[in-house]
Amino acid sequence: MEYANARLECNAADERANILASAVIGLEEKALRLRSNELKLERQLENSQAEVSSFKYAFFRSNYEICPFILQHLRS
């Protein structure tokens, strides 16, 4: 009888361990997906910042050409 109770407890512990292991694996997979999304967003942000910098450079470089054109149309 004592052996049977010990065996039942052992089986229950194994089942709990399997459930916990499954939960851990699920959380690890979620963490990997989140990290992947984070890296994608970082790349998008870097690309956007580079694009904004490019536009700023183009605008300030041609500022003397653009401003008279804009002013002319604003006055009309």
Side-chain angles (χ1 to χ4, degrees), residues 2 13 19 21 23 25-27 29-31 36-37 45 47 50-52 56 59 71 74:
E2 191 174 314
I19 291 169
I25 290 169
L27 290 172
E29 289 172 349
K30 185 174 182 178
S36 176
N37 289 338
L45 177 61
N47 290 339
E51 190 175 359
V52 166
K56 283 182 182 178
F59 175 76
L71 289 173
L74 288 175

Side-chain angles (χ1 to χ4, degrees), residues 4-76:
N5 287 339
R7 190 71 193 148
L8 287 174
E9 288 178 17
C10 185
N11 288 342
D14 283 346
E15 188 175 338
R16 288 191 301 273
N18 287 335
I19 291 169
L20 288 173
S22 177
V24 167
I25 290 169
L27 290 172
E28 288 174 339
E29 289 172 349
K30 185 174 182 178
L32 287 172
R33 283 192 306 273
L34 290 171
R35 181 63 179 143
S36 176
N37 289 338
E38 180 185 19
L39 292 173
K40 287 177 188 174
L41 289 171
E42 284 178 2
R43 282 193 302 273
Q44 288 176 354
L45 177 61
E46 289 170 2
N47 290 339
S48 295
Q49 288 172 335
E51 190 175 359
V52 166
S53 294
S54 173
F55 287 142
K56 283 182 182 178
Y57 175 77
F59 175 76
F60 290 119
R61 187 171 145 226
S62 62
N63 192 21
Y64 295 108
E65 298 168 11
I66 293 172
C67 283
F69 176 75
I70 293 172
L71 289 173
Q72 178 184 0
H73 287 301
L74 288 175
R75 290 181 185 145
S76 50

